[in-house]
Amino acid sequence: MRSSVSVDKTLTRSGLDIAKIREDFPNLGRSMRGKSFVYLDNGATSLKPRQVIESEVRYYEEYCANIHRGVYEFSEIATEEYDSIRAKVAHFIGAPADGHVIFTRGTTESVNVVMNGWGRKNIGAGDVILISEIEHHANYVTWQQLAQEKGARLEFIPALPDGSFDLNNLDALFDMPVKFVAVTAMSNVTGYKPDLKTIIDTAHRHGVPVLVDAAQYASHHTVNVAELDCDFLCFSGHKMCGPTGIGVLYGRESLLEEMDPFMYGGDMVVRVKRDTSSFKPLPERFEAGTPNIAGVMGLGAAVDYLQGIGMEAIAEHEQHLIEYTLMRAAEFPDLISYGPADHSSRGAIFSFNLGDVHSHDVGSILDQEGIAVRTGFHCAQPIMRLFGIPGTVRASMYLYNDIDDIDMLFTGLDKVRGIFNR
Amino acid sequence: MRSSVSVDKTLTRSGLDIAKIREDFPNLGRSMRGKSFVYLDNGATSLKPRQVIESEVRYYEEYCANIHRGVYEFSEIATEEYDSIRAKVAHFIGAPADGHVIFTRGTTESVNVVMNGWGRKNIGAGDVILISEIEHHANYVTWQQLAQEKGARLEFIPALPDGSFDLNNLDALFDMPVKFVAVTAMSNVTGYKPDLKTIIDTAHRHGVPVLVDAAQYASHHTVNVAELDCDFLCFSGHKMCGPTGIGVLYGRESLLEEMDPFMYGGDMVVRVKRDTSSFKPLPERFEAGTPNIAGVMGLGAAVDYLQGIGMEAIAEHEQHLIEYTLMRAAEFPDLISYGPADHSSRGAIFSFNLGDVHSHDVGSILDQEGIAVRTGFHCAQPIMRLFGIPGTVRASMYLYNDIDDIDMLFTGLDKVRGIFNR
Amino acid sequence: MNYEEDLYKEIILENYRSKKNKGAIEGASFHAEGANPSCGDDLELFLSVNNGVIERITYDGIGCSICCAGANLLCEALTGRSFEEALGIVAQFKGMLLEEQEPDFDDAISDLEAMQGVKKYPVRIKCALLAWNTVEGILNDAK
Amino acid sequence: MNYEEDLYKEIILENYRSKKNKGAIEGASFHAEGANPSCGDDLELFLSVNNGVIERITYDGIGCSICCAGANLLCEALTGRSFEEALGIVAQFKGMLLEEQEPDFDDAISDLEAMQGVKKYPVRIKCALLAWNTVEGILNDAK
Ligand SMILES: Cc1ncc(COP(=O)(O)O)c(C=O)c1O
Ligand SMILES: Cc1ncc(COP(=O)(O)O)c(C=O)c1O
């Protein structure tokens, strides 16, 4: 059971009232395998607050209608809501205009829209696509396949053994014919947050655009694409308290303007003649067909929810959690933890192995104790190769996690050792 | 107000208890512009029954987790549900195996997956793509753009002035180097349902695969892809009582097997090496990234809901509605209705113009009377060119509509005439 | 709020039905197209200009009653105006529909106030303004 | 239901830890790989066969305790068997985990019954069966 003497633990340094936040998440009241539920798989997807669920229900129950199409009141309301959430998201990430925000299914689609629209047009034989070995498959396989298709080459920002980057000779990488850079803002395996500013500025000095995979980052940190000066930014609603099936692609206007649409269909054309069509301006050109309207409503509620709590406070709270976690991890001599030792460049993701126990066994025993973690290679085989391991156990935290959750994780790990050291 | 002496009107020939069905749809209890709400824009999207909304909420509140990834109970439940809904959908459309059902965002994405994966590979300069002038932009612009890209030619199944097909010389069309046929199962403008069997059999005799756009059809009729023998079938959840952001692509196994994935990313790869990757078998290969999990749950509930009522009964009920509508339309001498006179080849879509009143004015006045219809070209400019008009007013019906709704529509049209004939 | 009095008042319907300013001008000094694709409004404007004065202005095409009434009212209001005057009227008309400006048109063109009711129907505002935005483009380009 | 007694019982852990049948066989008569990518199980099986009898069988690779225990039990159970006998044992083992079959193994291989508890943990069944499905492939191909 969750301890009741944890007042000082839930009122963290960041000043967030975690106990109160937890009340917003219906899942957290549940039990799993008969134990009270501890959710530490936020890297895979986040839980959803009541406010987000309700906003979807409200759309379905009160003004369910397609957008941009109806002459009647409910369709007008739906359209206004939809457009206003685009503006809200643009503001959330500091985009200069609403039209630079395109709704997709998630990070994966966002990356693929850029690969198809910009990559297929601009990358040719012998060109280099610069990525890294710590990328998620979404931002790795996509560029690898483009390279294969075009006869281009995949090259990597050098990674140190702890999975962080060595940026000392970054400039020299651009002696290669680099045409595009795609890099993560936060590793989903180690929580490592590269120095994006340096990467972007260097790439731009060489006239090369940069795509940032913010799937893990945007849910926990303030993002400002104007300051960061990235060319594309991709993230998913479901990892930031929002619904499944909705994500965002931010793009620099000049690049979006030259891109081919990813899909063709209704709502993205102005005029269809027999053999040619003219397309709508941004962002509609990239949103063919009926979008995930309820998903957009939920995403809007998620942004409101996160902003109501404050992204800075969330980041600070999580910094506290990861520091506490790494401190407790040091008590386990047989625990190998992955990622940079420097806490300040890490988000709240804790990847580890316990002696030679297979991660699946660790995860399975934790499950039996009511604790949800993820095991395996986390859609990131290249970083596993870098570490020379088949997989890890990953505990990934979010705003509603508290010190109790971490303590329960370590109690669970004691149990694992008990079983395997019998 | 909805009349209360309508027992005989709501208990239709099909034996459906429409009054009871209406109770499942929260929207139908609402009012619009202060009038009781009449929803006749089902061609754009359908309303959602409580059961569907609740299934999404249940996923979010009770076992919110990512699929195919977790070692813990909630992720297992989510994965099992997700997989079982694929099986349910496969059964719903008579697909020979679950793996032939791919979840997409909707019809538009489904068509684009085929265009990219099969079309880009198999269609070249000089080839002919055979479509029709009655297609929705999703199934028109997509092929048009592929034709442009490849130097292929777009040709059309001949259409009669009423928007139905002339299939007399169908065989001769295949004297052209036809490589692919893409055709609607039901026009979203006229409700016309072409004789697909003849088209598919003829195409197959010439070794040409056929894609069927069932966006309008699948929500109202029993579909059996095995009997129909089509090669691809596309439809959208949101038009069949399901959530937004979820749709289906059915594909014949041998064709899916040779297709390139539409997107690359997590969950669709087996092994990622430095420069190459191997992909999972069907259907995962076509579902990169986190899917719209809640949307799939809702789609499952929608299929259950529709099957609980019975697709045959729904089709019969709607046949009754369109016959009644066309009968009442005949009372208006200045009403021009589009589509074939033969009711048996039509679904419950009623497109018309009232004298020379612009469709936007008609729709706007109906809106003020609480009646939701759609106006304009309905993402189908080619058929508008065929009819020589800029647009129509479209009333499209679904299982919860009744004779009262139609009567209110015509009362609304009386109002329009009153205003414009002053 | 009564849409018959706001949107479909007599004066709007009269302007909609009027054919007086409808049709093309052969050899027009200026010509431009404007469309609201989602509404099905699709207009062309023709201006014949002499010595900096709009001598005649007509519209052609397809549009709903609000769109056509707006176009006809525009033709009536801008005939005989200098570009400067015309732009002033356009600004005032747009201000009436898009901002909180109370209209204060000259008596000669006070019919324009009939359109004020459209403001209560946000989706129709772009119908009312189609011709006005189009003429504004012509006038600004010509400056 | 107690997972320590079902999944992590002593006999399973012993089989998991045993190195007796681990490693490659040089010049093996048969060799095959099997993987559960989502679990991180990745095994190879090696068989040396003489006169239709499995003389030695080993596994190598990485897997969770259930997967490795399943592989070690397999090696123990199939050594010295003919292909026919081996396929029978495989069928019985799979039947125990996938169907309602009560196990009834020979005394010599009754340790296999230790895996019955895995049945209560559906996601672990594929771990337990990885080696068994792999060997079944080898045996069927060889027939
Ligand atoms: C016949 C037809 N095809 C395709 C579509 C596109 O469907 P969606 O917008 O759900 O992708 C529609 C609906 O708008 C349609 O009616
Ligand atoms: C770093 C990173 N990039 C991309 C993705 C893919 O996101 P999605 O599955 O929402 O498309 C994920 C999440 O799985 C991720 O962690």
Side-chain angles (χ1 to χ4, degrees):
Chain A
M1 286 295 302
R2 185 156 293 277
S3 82
S4 51
V5 291
S6 58
V7 180
D8 57 330
K9 285 181 172 175
T10 64
L11 267 178
T12 64
R13 275 199 321 223
S14 62
L16 291 184
D17 185 347
I18 305 301
K20 189 155 165 292
I21 287 173
R22 292 177 67 88
E23 286 170 13
D24 291 330
F25 292 81
N27 276 76
L28 290 174
R30 291 180 47 80
S31 59
M32 185 167 83
R33 310 278 188 211
K35 307 280 166 64
S36 84
F37 178 47
V38 175
Y39 189 67
L40 291 170
D41 193 18
N42 294 287
T45 197
S46 74
L47 303 178
K48 321 300 174 203
R50 232 172 278 285
Q51 292 84 338
V52 166
I53 302 169
E54 280 163 10
S55 79
E56 288 210 50
V57 170
R58 200 177 319 121
Y59 162 69
Y60 283 133
E61 293 195 347
E62 295 184 12
Y63 56 99
C64 183
N66 213 323
I67 56 164
H68 296 312
R69 296 184 176 190
V71 280
Y72 51 91
E73 187 182 17
F74 291 168
S75 176
E76 279 170 40
I77 298 176
T79 306
E80 268 167 37
E81 274 288 303
Y82 187 90
D83 292 343
S84 79
I85 290 168
R86 196 193 301 281
K88 194 194 294 284
V89 171
H91 184 256
F92 182 65
I93 59 169
D98 302 357
H100 309 171
V101 167
I102 293 157
F103 290 125
T104 63
R105 179 163 48 242
T107 306
T108 303
E109 183 177 345
S110 298
V111 175
N112 277 273
V113 169
V114 178
M115 182 276 268
N116 176 71
W118 197 91
R120 287 212 160 106
K121 229 169 155 165
N122 293 290
I123 291 170
D127 288 341
V128 164
I129 307 170
L130 187 64
I131 65 168
S132 86
E133 289 161 278
I134 72 169
E135 300 306 317
H136 184 279
H137 289 167
N139 202 32
Y140 188 108
V141 180
T142 311
W143 302 111
Q144 178 198 63
Q145 294 299 310
L146 179 68
Q148 273 215 320
E149 182 182 317
K150 295 292 183 181
R153 248 187 325 137
L154 214 55
E155 293 293 344
F156 305 102
I157 297 172
L160 301 171
D162 67 359
S164 70
F165 290 163
D166 173 4
L167 298 183
N168 283 322
N169 296 309
L170 186 62
D171 213 75
L173 290 179
F174 290 87
D175 292 346
M176 299 185 293
V178 177
K179 277 289 164 61
F180 196 72
V181 177
V183 67
T184 189
M186 175 164 148
S187 159
N188 69 318
V189 174
T190 63
Y192 169 60
K193 298 181 279 188
D195 174 4
L196 289 180
K197 196 68 193 140
T198 296
I199 297 171
I200 292 168
D201 289 349
T202 307
H204 284 180
R205 239 182 300 115
H206 295 275
V208 176
V210 180
L211 174 143
V212 172
D213 171 357
Q216 293 293 338
Y217 188 90
S219 36
H220 306 281
H221 303 83
T222 307
V223 175
N224 189 306
V225 292
E227 267 175 33
L228 196 58
D229 204 24
C230 60
D231 300 278
F232 298 102
L233 185 96
C234 310
F235 58 100
S236 302
H238 70 94
K239 293 191 203 276
M240 51 182 277
C241 294
T244 56
I246 190 74
V248 171
L249 168 64
Y250 156 80
R252 190 187 293 284
E253 187 172 18
S254 56
L255 298 181
L256 288 176
E257 286 291 1
E258 58 166 302
M259 276 164 59
D260 286 332
F262 188 48
M263 299 188 207
Y264 300 97
D267 285 333
M268 54 82 73
V269 285
V270 176
R271 234 179 219 114
V272 177
K273 302 208 177 137
R274 187 194 188 286
D275 291 310
T276 57
S277 296
S278 55
F279 302 125
K280 284 196 184 164
L282 300 175
E284 276 91 358
R285 190 191 312 160
F286 288 98
E287 293 182 7
T290 303
N292 185 355
I293 304 172
V296 168
M297 304 304 173
L299 179 64
V303 168
D304 284 343
Y305 184 80
L306 291 175
Q307 289 194 317
I309 288 170
M311 298 308 290
E312 309 291 342
I314 292 171
E316 199 182 331
H317 169 62
E318 291 175 6
Q319 186 65 30
H320 179 52
L321 289 179
I322 188 68
E323 279 170 25
Y324 180 79
T325 306
L326 295 174
M327 192 185 78
R328 291 246 20 212
E331 295 164 16
F332 283 63
D334 54 346
L335 188 153
I336 307 144
S337 144
Y338 303 93
D342 170 16
H343 302 173
S344 68
S345 71
R346 281 184 69 155
I349 292 183
F350 172 50
S351 261
F352 65 95
N353 277 308
L354 204 58
D356 60 359
V357 183
H358 192 278
S359 63
H360 202 191
D361 285 313
V362 178
S364 197
I365 292 171
L366 292 175
D367 166 38
Q368 295 295 333
E369 300 297 320
I371 304 165
V373 297
R374 201 176 157 200
T375 65
F377 55 72
H378 316 298
C379 295
Q381 291 180 13
I383 196 175
M384 295 299 150
R385 248 195 329 272
L386 183 72
F387 291 153
I389 52 174
T392 75
V393 184
R394 182 184 75 180
S396 49
M397 299 133 207
Y398 207 9
L399 73 162
Y400 36 69
N401 290 117
D402 59 16
I403 298 291
D404 277 346
D405 292 333
I406 310 301
D407 286 340
M408 283 191 258
L409 171 66
F410 284 98
T411 305
L413 294 183
D414 273 329
K415 185 108 198 185
V416 176
R417 296 162 95 201
I419 287 172
F420 278 86
N421 297 338
R422 271 200 300 235
Chain B
M1 284 298 300
R2 185 156 293 276
S3 83
S4 51
V5 292
S6 56
V7 179
D8 58 330
K9 285 182 175 175
T10 65
L11 267 180
T12 63
R13 274 197 324 219
S14 61
L16 290 184
D17 184 348
I18 304 300
K20 190 154 163 295
I21 288 174
R22 293 178 66 88
E23 284 170 14
D24 291 329
F25 291 81
N27 276 77
L28 290 174
R30 292 179 48 80
S31 60
M32 186 168 81
R33 309 279 188 210
K35 307 279 166 63
S36 84
F37 179 47
V38 174
Y39 189 65
L40 292 170
D41 194 18
N42 294 287
T45 198
S46 75
L47 303 179
K48 322 299 172 203
R50 232 173 277 286
Q51 292 84 337
V52 166
I53 302 169
E54 279 163 11
S55 79
E56 288 212 50
V57 170
R58 200 176 321 119
Y59 163 70
Y60 283 133
E61 292 193 347
E62 295 182 11
Y63 56 99
C64 182
N66 214 322
I67 57 164
H68 297 311
R69 297 185 174 189
V71 280
Y72 51 92
E73 187 181 18
F74 292 169
S75 175
E76 280 171 41
I77 300 175
T79 305
E80 267 167 39
E81 274 289 303
Y82 187 89
D83 291 344
S84 78
I85 291 167
R86 195 193 303 280
K88 195 194 293 283
V89 171
H91 184 257
F92 182 66
I93 60 170
D98 302 356
H100 309 172
V101 168
I102 293 158
F103 290 124
T104 64
R105 178 162 48 241
T107 306
T108 302
E109 183 177 346
S110 297
V111 175
N112 278 271
V113 168
V114 179
M115 181 276 267
N116 175 72
W118 198 92
R120 288 213 159 104
K121 229 168 154 164
N122 293 290
I123 291 170
D127 288 341
V128 164
I129 308 169
L130 187 64
I131 64 169
S132 87
E133 289 161 278
I134 72 170
E135 300 305 318
H136 184 278
H137 289 169
N139 203 29
Y140 188 108
V141 179
T142 310
W143 302 111
Q144 179 197 63
Q145 294 299 309
L146 178 69
Q148 271 216 322
E149 183 183 315
K150 297 289 182 182
R153 247 185 328 134
L154 214 55
E155 291 293 345
F156 306 101
I157 297 172
L160 300 171
D162 67 359
S164 70
F165 289 164
D166 173 5
L167 297 183
N168 283 324
N169 296 309
L170 187 62
D171 213 75
L173 290 179
F174 289 87
D175 293 347
M176 300 186 291
V178 177
K179 278 289 165 61
F180 197 73
V181 177
V183 68
T184 190
M186 174 164 149
S187 158
N188 70 317
V189 173
T190 63
Y192 169 60
K193 297 181 281 187
D195 174 4
L196 288 181
K197 197 71 192 134
T198 296
I199 296 171
I200 291 168
D201 289 349
T202 308
H204 284 180
R205 239 183 300 114
H206 296 274
V208 176
V210 180
L211 174 144
V212 172
D213 172 359
Q216 294 293 337
Y217 188 89
S219 39
H220 307 281
H221 303 83
T222 306
V223 174
N224 189 306
V225 293
E227 267 176 35
L228 196 57
D229 203 24
C230 59
D231 300 278
F232 298 102
L233 185 95
C234 310
F235 58 101
S236 303
H238 71 95
K239 295 194 203 273
M240 52 183 278
C241 294
T244 56
I246 190 73
V248 171
L249 168 63
Y250 156 80
R252 189 187 295 283
E253 187 173 17
S254 56
L255 299 179
L256 287 177
E257 286 291 1
E258 58 166 302
M259 276 165 59
D260 286 332
F262 188 48
M263 299 189 209
Y264 300 96
D267 286 334
M268 54 83 72
V269 285
V270 176
R271 236 182 216 109
V272 177
K273 301 209 177 135
R274 188 194 187 285
D275 291 309
T276 56
S277 296
S278 55
F279 302 125
K280 285 198 183 161
L282 300 174
E284 278 90 358
R285 191 190 312 161
F286 289 99
E287 293 183 6
T290 304
N292 185 356
I293 303 172
V296 169
M297 304 303 172
L299 179 64
V303 169
D304 285 341
Y305 185 80
L306 291 175
Q307 289 193 318
I309 288 170
M311 297 310 290
E312 309 292 342
I314 292 171
E316 199 183 329
H317 168 63
E318 291 175 7
Q319 187 65 30
H320 178 52
L321 288 180
I322 189 68
E323 280 170 24
Y324 181 79
T325 306
L326 294 174
M327 191 187 78
R328 292 247 17 214
E331 296 165 14
F332 283 61
D334 53 347
L335 187 151
I336 307 143
S337 145
Y338 303 94
D342 169 15
H343 301 175
S344 69
S345 70
R346 280 183 71 155
I349 292 182
F350 172 51
S351 261
F352 65 94
N353 276 308
L354 203 59
D356 60 359
V357 183
H358 192 276
S359 64
H360 202 193
D361 284 314
V362 177
S364 195
I365 292 171
L366 292 175
D367 166 39
Q368 294 295 333
E369 300 297 319
I371 303 164
V373 296
R374 200 175 158 200
T375 64
F377 55 74
H378 316 300
C379 294
Q381 290 179 15
I383 197 176
M384 294 299 149
R385 249 197 327 272
L386 183 74
F387 291 153
I389 53 175
T392 75
V393 184
R394 180 184 76 182
S396 48
M397 299 132 207
Y398 207 9
L399 73 162
Y400 35 70
N401 289 118
D402 59 16
I403 298 293
D404 276 345
D405 292 335
I406 310 301
D407 285 340
M408 283 192 259
L409 170 67
F410 284 98
T411 307
L413 294 183
D414 273 329
K415 184 108 199 186
V416 175
R417 295 161 96 202
I419 287 172
F420 277 88
N421 296 340
R422 268 200 301 235
Chain C
M1 164 155 131
N2 179 333
Y3 69 93
E4 288 160 74
E5 274 153 37
D6 294 328
L7 272 184
Y8 295 107
K9 54 175 65 164
E10 205 47 44
I11 184 166
I12 290 187
L13 289 172
E14 269 169 21
N15 273 283
Y16 159 56
R17 290 195 195 102
S18 165
K19 297 279 169 281
K20 184 172 154 208
N21 303 296
K22 211 152 179 214
I25 300 175
E26 289 273 329
S29 332
F30 296 95
H31 166 243
E33 287 179 52
N36 291 323
S38 63
C39 305
D41 297 331
D42 208 342
L43 294 187
E44 288 178 274
L45 281 186
F46 301 86
L47 274 71
S48 65
V49 175
N50 205 342
N51 261 334
V53 170
I54 302 172
E55 286 199 325
R56 192 146 177 256
I57 170 164
T58 66
Y59 78 99
D60 208 353
I62 286 162
C64 67
S65 60
I66 308 302
C67 173
C68 294
N72 196 60
L73 281 164
L74 175 143
C75 297
E76 292 288 309
L78 301 194
T79 304
R81 305 284 177 173
S82 71
F83 278 26
E84 213 57 45
E85 287 169 329
L87 275 170
I89 294 170
V90 170
Q92 219 187 332
F93 189 79
K94 290 182 72 173
M96 173 177 82
L97 286 176
L98 296 176
E99 281 149 51
E100 294 306 305
Q101 288 175 26
E102 265 308 303
D104 177 27
F105 296 107
D106 285 359
D107 277 359
I109 56 171
S110 62
D111 274 6
L112 294 181
E113 288 169 23
M115 298 294 272
Q116 199 180 4
V118 174
K119 193 165 179 169
K120 297 183 199 159
Y121 301 85
V123 288
R124 304 306 291 273
I125 292 176
K126 69 173 180 303
C127 305
L129 289 183
L130 179 58
W132 295 81
N133 285 327
T134 308
V135 87
E136 193 178 34
I138 296 177
L139 298 174
N140 280 328
D141 286 352
K143 266 208 300 205
Chain D
M1 163 155 132
N2 179 334
Y3 70 93
E4 287 159 77
E5 274 153 38
D6 295 327
L7 272 183
Y8 295 108
K9 54 173 66 161
E10 204 48 40
I11 186 165
I12 291 189
L13 289 171
E14 266 167 26
N15 272 282
Y16 160 56
R17 288 196 198 103
S18 166
K19 298 278 169 282
K20 185 173 154 206
N21 303 297
K22 212 155 177 208
I25 299 176
E26 288 275 326
S29 330
F30 296 95
H31 166 243
E33 289 179 50
N36 290 323
S38 64
C39 306
D41 297 331
D42 208 343
L43 294 187
E44 288 177 275
L45 282 186
F46 301 87
L47 274 70
S48 63
V49 175
N50 205 344
N51 259 333
V53 170
I54 302 173
E55 287 200 323
R56 189 147 180 254
I57 169 163
T58 65
Y59 78 98
D60 208 352
I62 286 162
C64 67
S65 58
I66 308 301
C67 173
C68 294
N72 195 59
L73 282 163
L74 174 142
C75 297
E76 291 289 311
L78 301 195
T79 304
R81 306 282 176 177
S82 71
F83 278 26
E84 214 56 46
E85 287 170 329
L87 276 169
I89 295 170
V90 171
Q92 220 188 330
F93 188 81
K94 289 183 72 173
M96 172 177 81
L97 286 176
L98 296 175
E99 282 149 52
E100 296 304 306
Q101 289 174 26
E102 264 309 302
D104 177 27
F105 295 107
D106 285 355
D107 277 357
I109 54 170
S110 63
D111 274 6
L112 294 180
E113 288 169 23
M115 298 294 275
Q116 199 180 4
V118 175
K119 193 166 177 169
K120 298 184 198 158
Y121 302 84
V123 287
R124 303 306 290 275
I125 293 177
K126 69 174 182 300
C127 306
L129 289 182
L130 179 58
W132 295 81
N133 285 326
T134 309
V135 87
E136 193 178 32
I138 295 177
L139 299 173
N140 280 328
D141 285 353
K143 269 207 298 205

